[in-house]
């Protein structure tokens, strides 16, 4: 890669990192409050302190995977799925904690998981590192979906 290509690649990484950080920042504005504390939760709900470190690592992986998708893979489908998952990811906290609408959040996280799985399937034969970076994210979102579904079932 020449100097111009390297500089462009770093700019793409910076832009994607800022995009992911912006989504994380916005999502962090919608936090569990009294409403959430009053809900019945599934037995497999982790303690609250687990979420920040897990999401911190996952957001870094999402940004780096996005960089690989946008600079090396370059497919429209890969780029579109990456953007879609980021938007859906950002919507979840607003729907669940901001609007206190766990059913809408469940719809969102279901579509989010479908996007992540589609992205993983797309990456598997093309970008193994991108796949490896996003696999834990997919697993975590699948787990989060079970928590969201459990809350919906326990709090009719």
């Amino acid at each position: 890669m020449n100097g111009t290509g390297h500089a462009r690649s770093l700019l793409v990484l910076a832009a994607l990192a800022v995009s992911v950080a912006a989504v994380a920042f916005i999502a962090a504005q919608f936090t569990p409050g009294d409403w959430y504390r009053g809900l019945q939760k599934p037995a497999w709900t982790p303690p609250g302190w687990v979420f920040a470190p897990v999401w911190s690592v996952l957001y870094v992986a999402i940004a780096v995977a996005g960089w690989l998708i946008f600079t090396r893979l370059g497919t429209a489908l890969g780029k579109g799925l990456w953007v879609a998952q980021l938007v859906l990811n950002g919507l979840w906290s607003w729907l669940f904690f901001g609007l206190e609408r766990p059913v809408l959040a469940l719809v969102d996280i279901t579509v989010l998981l479908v996007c992540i799985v589609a992205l993983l399937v797309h990456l598997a034969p093309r970008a193994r590192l991108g796949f490896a970076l996003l696999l834990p994210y997919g697993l975590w979102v699948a787990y989060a979906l079970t928590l969201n579904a459990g809350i919906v079932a326990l709090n009719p």
Side-chain angles (χ1 to χ4, degrees):
M1 184 180 301
N2 64 28
T4 304
H6 184 69
R8 182 186 176 285
S9 180
L10 289 177
L11 283 173
V12 170
L13 177 59
L16 294 172
V18 167
S19 298
V20 171
V23 166
F25 177 79
I26 291 166
Q29 304 312 301
F30 305 101
T31 58
D34 292 336
W35 168 81
Y36 177 76
R37 284 187 279 285
L39 294 174
Q40 295 294 315
K41 293 171 206 69
W44 59 92
T45 302
W49 63 264
V50 168
F51 292 93
V54 168
W55 276 111
S56 296
V57 171
L58 293 176
Y59 280 134
V60 170
I62 292 166
V64 174
W67 173 70
L68 293 170
I69 291 165
F70 278 80
T71 60
R72 302 223 176 113
L73 182 59
T75 66
L77 179 60
K79 292 174 183 178
L81 288 169
W82 189 89
V83 169
Q85 66 74 30
L86 190 61
V87 169
L88 291 163
N89 179 309
L91 283 174
W92 187 88
S93 291
W94 174 65
L95 292 170
F96 192 91
F97 295 119
L99 296 181
E100 299 177 358
R101 301 289 301 267
V103 172
L104 287 178
L106 181 58
V107 171
D108 174 82
I109 200 169
T110 301
V111 177
L112 171 59
L113 184 57
V114 168
C115 282
I116 295 168
V117 169
L119 186 54
L120 287 168
V121 168
H122 183 70
L123 292 175
R126 294 170 183 84
R128 292 179 201 256
L129 180 55
F131 176 88
L133 286 165
L134 292 178
L135 183 60
Y137 174 45
L139 295 171
W140 182 259
V141 169
Y143 172 63
L145 187 149
T146 70
L147 293 171
N148 193 157
I151 287 171
V152 168
L154 292 170
N155 300 276

